[in-house]
Amino acid sequence: MKNAPRIRHIIATILLFLCFITATDGFLISHGSRAHPHKCPPSCVERCAASKRRRSAARMVQDGKQQQQDLCSTNTTQGDAVISEMYQSLQNRQDELERNVGRRYITRTQKGFLNVHQEPSDPFDTHNIIDQLAEGQIVESIAPSRGAWIHHDRGGWSISKFGGFTWLELIEE
């Protein structure tokens, strides 16, 4: 019998496998595409799973670093242009806010309304009134203020502070 040594080896392996299963009373686990040829106790399962998670996390970090390097090296000019554009946009918005552009105000009144004037002048000037704001109405400034006058989205100018009273109160966001 030429195959006798081979058959004895297969039988010995099967017996060893059966002895191991009986001795450990373990659990069959899987490692991705590789499966253990034997059963493992719970501690082995936990160690193998933790090791797999660590390797996966390390691979993700390495892949992320590589992608970042690739992006930085190939798109430096395009990236610089985008960053420059974003910086300019933020700078413009900061300038607008410093000049009170784009700020929101809530209307406070003593007589139930606040006049909207075509041009900022005297708050008592009635010839250039184009609208009125009601108590609690919210407006947004659309241009730099002129002293106490706010140019807002209701089509004109209103006084923000006059006679010790705040007519347009800035809403802090």
Side-chain angles (χ1 to χ4, degrees), residues 63-166:
D63 290 347
K65 286 180 182 177
Q66 186 61 43
Q67 287 175 353
Q68 185 179 12
Q69 287 173 351
D70 291 347
L71 181 64
C72 289
S73 64
T74 59
N75 295 329
T76 302
T77 307
Q78 183 181 8
D80 289 347
V82 169
I83 290 170
S84 177
E85 183 179 322
M86 288 174 60
Y87 176 77
Q88 187 61 44
S89 175
L90 288 172
Q91 192 67 37
N92 291 344
R93 181 64 181 142
Q94 184 178 7
D95 292 344
E96 288 174 349
L97 289 174
E98 287 173 359
R99 296 183 326 228
N100 294 331
V101 175
R103 291 193 172 183
R104 295 174 37 169
Y105 296 86
I106 188 164
T107 306
R108 302 291 182 212
T109 66
Q110 292 176 331
K111 298 180 182 182
F113 65 90
L114 174 62
N115 289 327
V116 178
H117 297 263
Q118 189 171 2
E119 288 295 323
S121 59
D122 181 14
F124 296 111
D125 187 3
T126 59
H127 81 279
N128 68 352
I129 295 175
I130 56 173
D131 200 359
Q132 291 182 336
L133 302 175
E135 174 74 29
Q137 192 168 357
I138 296 175
V139 294
E140 185 175 331
S141 61
I142 59 172
S145 58
R146 290 190 197 165
W149 290 90
I150 305 294
H151 192 200
H152 52 77
D153 57 356
R154 288 297 303 263
W157 297 81
S158 294
I159 193 80
S160 62
K161 293 181 183 176
F162 184 77
F165 185 76
T166 303

